[in-house]
Amino acid sequence: MPEASSTTPDPLQTLKAEFRHHLETFYAGLQLAPPYESVEKAIRTLITMIHGLPIEEQTRILADPVLRWQQFRLAFDASGLAKKHRGIIAGLARNRSTLNLPAEYDQFLNLFLT
């Protein structure tokens, strides 16, 4: 008899969806079209990075928003997203008060200021 499928969502899929949402929010807040292929690369980078960690570390990251944002920032940078629209986003980031983005997105914005 086939096994019943679990109704519990896959934590990595949940993380993937959360990261995608943050990337969409980030680019919408900047009023820029996201570089779609680079966004997909960033998402793949995140999942690869998390998947390669021990289960205990994955569990910690999934349970801690600060650790999740650290991983999001690492994937954003490692995937090359911090190089796309660099001049435009750096200019916007210098005038942070004019952006309609929550403070968490400074994790991404700061990559354009270095």
Side-chain angles (χ1 to χ4, degrees):
M1 183 150 103
E3 280 186 34
S5 64
S6 173
T7 58
T8 305
D10 176 2
L12 290 179
Q13 291 304 316
T14 302
L15 189 66
K16 179 179 173 181
E18 180 183 352
F19 187 42
R20 181 182 303 279
H21 170 75
H22 288 310
L23 293 174
E24 290 169 355
T25 300
F26 178 71
Y27 285 102
L30 298 175
Q31 297 180 354
L32 292 172
Y36 293 105
E37 287 196 27
S38 296
V39 165
E40 294 304 318
K41 182 178 179 184
I43 293 166
R44 287 190 308 272
T45 299
L46 173 72
I47 296 306
T48 300
M49 288 172 20
I50 300 294
H51 192 263
L53 297 173
I55 296 297
E56 299 80 24
E57 185 67 15
Q58 289 181 22
T59 303
R60 283 185 47 231
I61 290 168
L62 292 168
D64 185 338
V66 172
L67 292 176
R68 284 198 310 273
W69 270 100
Q70 287 174 354
Q71 295 299 312
F72 294 159
R73 183 181 195 276
L74 288 171
F76 191 97
D77 193 27
S79 69
L81 270 177
K83 295 177 182 164
K84 304 292 181 175
H85 301 308
R86 186 159 187 84
I88 295 167
I89 296 174
L92 293 169
R94 282 188 209 98
N95 296 315
R96 175 68 174 93
S97 61
T98 63
L99 299 177
N100 187 22
L101 285 171
E104 298 88 34
Y105 292 89
D106 288 354
Q107 295 277 334
F108 300 153
L109 288 171
N110 290 336
L111 292 169
F112 293 91
L113 297 174
T114 56

